Every structure is written in structure tokens, then in C-alpha cells.
């Protein structure tokens, strides 16, 4: 009976080691995922800012992608709105 208990104990110990290792790996993956989400949000924010900055020139990304590089003056109210949106994203005034 002692041999059976000893063997069972070793099996349970080994399972606990595997579970602990899986928990550590899970935590590592969760941290990596959090970092990726933060990086993605930064990239998304910068893309939004770039699109708004192009709007300040009086054009948009679609026109530029189509080869239309013409610009026009935008109304002061629209300019203020765009600057406000940029400030909300980057946290400082342009």
C-alpha cells in the first residue's frame, strides 16, 4: 500500500508542477497581450491624428490615395474642432 501511495503522491506532485508552469505561462501571455493592446491603441491613435492633420490641410487620405493632392482652406470652426480632437487624442495642443 505504501508503494501505491508514494507513486500516487509523485503523480500528483508532477501534475501540480505542470499546473504551476501553465499558470506562469498564462500570466506571461496575458502580460504580452496587454502590451500588444497598448501598442495597438497607440498606433490607432497616431493614425487618427495623422488623418486629422491631413484634414487641417483641407483634404483627406482618400483623395491623396487617389493621387489628388489639391488642398483648400477650411473654415475656422472646423479647424478648431479638428485641433480639439487632436488634443483629446495626444493630450497636448497643436
Amino acid at each position: 500500500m505504501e508503494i501505491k501511495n508514494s507513486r500516487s503522491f509523485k503523480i500528483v506532485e508532477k501534475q501540480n508542477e505542470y499546473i504551476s508552469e501553465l499558470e506562469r505561462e498564462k500570466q506571461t501571455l496575458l502580460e504580452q497581450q496587454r502590451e500588444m493592446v497598448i501598442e495597438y491603441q497607440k498606433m490607432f491613435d497616431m493614425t487618427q491624428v495623422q488623418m486629422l492633420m491631413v484634414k487641417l490641410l483641407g483634404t483627406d487620405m482618400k483623395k491623396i490615395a487617389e493621387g489628388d493632392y489639391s488642398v483648400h482652406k477650411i473654415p475656422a470652426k472646423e479647424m478648431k474642432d479638428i485641433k480639439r480632437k487632436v488634443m483629446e487624442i495626444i493630450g497636448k495642443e497643436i
Side-chain angles (χ1 to χ4, degrees), residues 5-21:
N5 283 340
S6 176
R7 190 168 178 212
S8 295
F9 182 75
K10 286 181 181 182
I11 290 171
V12 168
E13 248 185 354
K14 196 67 168 167
Q15 286 176 335
N16 286 338
E17 287 175 24
Y18 288 141
I19 290 170
S20 294
E21 181 63 27

Side-chain angles (χ1 to χ4, degrees), residues 3 17 21-22 30 45 47 50 52-55 61 63 65 69-72 74 76-77 80 85 88 92 94:
I3 294 173
E17 287 175 24
E21 181 63 27
L22 286 173
L30 286 173
D45 288 348
T47 302
Q50 289 171 344
L52 289 167
M53 297 298 275
V54 169
K55 272 186 140 183
M61 297 300 279
K63 287 181 183 176
Y69 300 109
S70 63
V71 294
H72 66 277
I74 61 170
K77 184 183 182 316
K80 284 175 90 173
K85 288 176 185 175
E88 286 174 3
K92 52 185 164 183
I94 58 168

Side-chain angles (χ1 to χ4, degrees), residues 3 14 17 20 22 25 29-30 34 36 43-44 46 48 51 55 60 62-63 66 68 74 76 80 84 88-89 91 94:
I3 294 173
K14 196 67 168 167
E17 287 175 24
S20 294
L22 286 173
E25 288 179 15
L29 289 172
L30 286 173
R34 276 192 284 277
M36 288 171 64
M43 288 173 42
F44 178 79
M46 291 300 16
Q48 294 297 105
M51 290 174 62
K55 272 186 140 183
D60 60 44
K62 183 178 179 191
K63 287 181 183 176
E66 293 170 349
D68 179 1
I74 61 170
K80 284 175 90 173
R84 180 185 49 77
E88 286 174 3
I89 295 171
I94 58 168

